[in-house]
Amino acid sequence: MTMNEPEYSLVQHNDFNGRYYTTDREGYEGVKFPSVTTVLNLMHRDLLGWNNKNIRESLMNKYKSGETITPYDIDISLATSEDIRRQSATYGTRAHEVIEKYINHARGFGPKPFIPEEVAYPVNAFIRWMEKEKVQPLMAEAKVMSFEHNFAGTLDILCLYKDVVSIIDIKTGKGVYPESAIQQGAYAVAIRETLGVDVENAYVLKIPKSSKERLKLHKVKNLEESKQQFISLARLWSYLDEGVFGEEPKNDKATGDNEVNREG
């Protein structure tokens, strides 16, 4: 299979507005392209709900014990929830890093990676699944972008799965949310523009953290619809980012106020 080789590079950045990418492509120097996940934050239901669930559990435990809940307890619960979220993100990042090295090794690039004990279960579960299903990896952690729709992102795996070009997103968290299907639509759009490859199928692979969980593969039911939904989100993000309000009206020197005259 032939893939285009981009004539530009992408660099990932983070700031208080979220993650974004810059490129050295001529004419786009200095332009910030929001990441796929930054755009998807417009649909932050999953993150907000997950965060609220942790806060509620912490406060309910205190309430059931008969203790009085104070403003201090609320602050502590908020901080604890944020710590849990960060730990979960760090765990997922470490697992992704090892899987990326393993895929590159399978493609003939680099040595077989060492698997740290803390992520051994999910990584080994992924390796067993990949070998059993005879997945042929093409790229891992590849940066792709769409100049047409103003976004960029880093996909997990581009591969041949069941003999067709597919993308697989790996999740190590507790659940798989509908937003993940739209995320895969975004990568399919960017892959077509960046690499000149049409993605036929997209999947979200939930890998287990322990023997109490099981590996589960979720296929995106309608990839074309997911593409269009993300393009709509990207347009909304750009619209909001550019600002939706104009300048404040100047004071009317004749009347001494800035009220808009209305016909009665």
Side-chain angles (χ1 to χ4, degrees):
M1 186 184 68
T2 302
M3 292 189 292
N4 295 339
E5 185 69 30
E7 297 180 352
Y8 54 84
S9 61
L10 286 171
V11 179
Q12 180 182 302
H13 310 269
N14 293 281
D15 64 13
F16 61 90
N17 286 322
R19 182 177 301 164
Y20 67 93
Y21 293 78
T22 57
T23 178
D24 56 3
R25 179 174 175 176
E26 186 176 355
Y28 292 89
E29 299 89 343
V31 177
K32 295 181 178 181
F33 292 86
S35 73
V36 171
T37 51
T38 295
V39 174
L40 284 172
N41 280 340
L42 291 171
M43 303 174 62
H44 59 77
R45 180 192 64 199
D46 57 335
L47 178 60
L48 185 60
W50 182 87
N51 201 48
N52 287 343
K53 178 176 178 291
N54 283 303
I55 295 171
R56 183 179 184 277
E57 286 180 352
S58 176
L59 294 176
M60 281 300 295
N61 288 336
K62 201 169 185 66
Y63 173 78
K64 289 177 181 178
S65 68
E67 298 180 52
T68 301
I69 297 175
T70 67
Y72 174 77
D73 295 323
I74 295 174
D75 289 340
I76 290 296
S77 296
L78 287 168
T80 301
S81 180
E82 178 63 15
D83 286 342
I84 294 173
R85 186 190 68 79
R86 287 177 178 172
Q87 289 171 12
S88 179
T90 300
Y91 180 90
T93 298
R94 289 173 180 167
H96 275 76
E97 288 173 349
V98 179
I99 288 172
E100 177 190 3
K101 291 177 180 177
Y102 177 82
I103 290 175
N104 287 333
H105 168 71
R107 295 172 58 224
F109 302 102
K112 189 173 182 178
F114 168 76
I115 302 176
E117 182 63 30
E118 61 180 343
V119 294
Y121 197 92
V123 171
N124 285 323
F126 169 80
I127 292 173
R128 288 193 298 270
W129 175 83
M130 193 178 89
E131 292 177 346
K132 177 184 176 182
E133 295 294 322
K134 296 180 171 57
V135 177
Q136 300 177 51
L138 301 172
M139 302 182 79
E141 297 295 322
K143 294 181 175 65
V144 292
M145 74 181 306
S146 171
F147 290 98
E148 180 180 356
H149 301 294
N150 188 49
F151 71 89
T154 303
L155 62 94
D156 285 351
I157 303 171
L158 176 66
C159 63
L160 290 177
Y161 179 50
K162 298 186 183 297
D163 298 322
V164 300
V165 178
S166 304
I167 47 178
I168 299 176
D169 189 53
I170 298 171
K171 299 296 184 187
T172 58
K174 291 184 177 180
V176 173
Y177 300 94
E179 289 84 350
S180 296
I182 299 177
Q183 181 181 18
Q184 301 321 296
Y187 292 136
V189 169
I191 288 169
R192 181 69 186 86
E193 189 171 332
T194 305
L195 304 175
V197 173
D198 290 315
V199 174
E200 294 191 41
N201 289 326
Y203 302 88
V204 178
L205 181 65
K206 171 67 175 66
I207 55 177
K209 291 183 177 180
S210 69
S211 59
K212 295 179 180 179
E213 302 175 2
R214 66 188 183 92
L215 183 146
K216 188 172 183 180
L217 184 68
H218 304 260
K219 182 179 180 180
V220 176
K221 183 169 64 175
N222 190 332
L223 185 57
E224 288 303 317
E225 183 63 23
S226 291
K227 291 179 186 178
Q228 295 307 314
Q229 292 296 337
F230 185 84
I231 289 171
S232 296
L233 273 177
R235 290 180 60 190
L236 175 59
W237 191 95
S238 294
Y239 170 69
L240 296 174
D241 185 59
E242 291 170 0
V244 297
F245 298 110
E247 296 180 0
E248 294 184 9
K250 297 180 180 180
N251 290 337
D252 189 326
K253 294 182 180 180
T255 61
D257 59 45
N258 59 359
E259 293 181 358
V260 177
N261 292 326
R262 297 186 177 93
E263 294 182 3

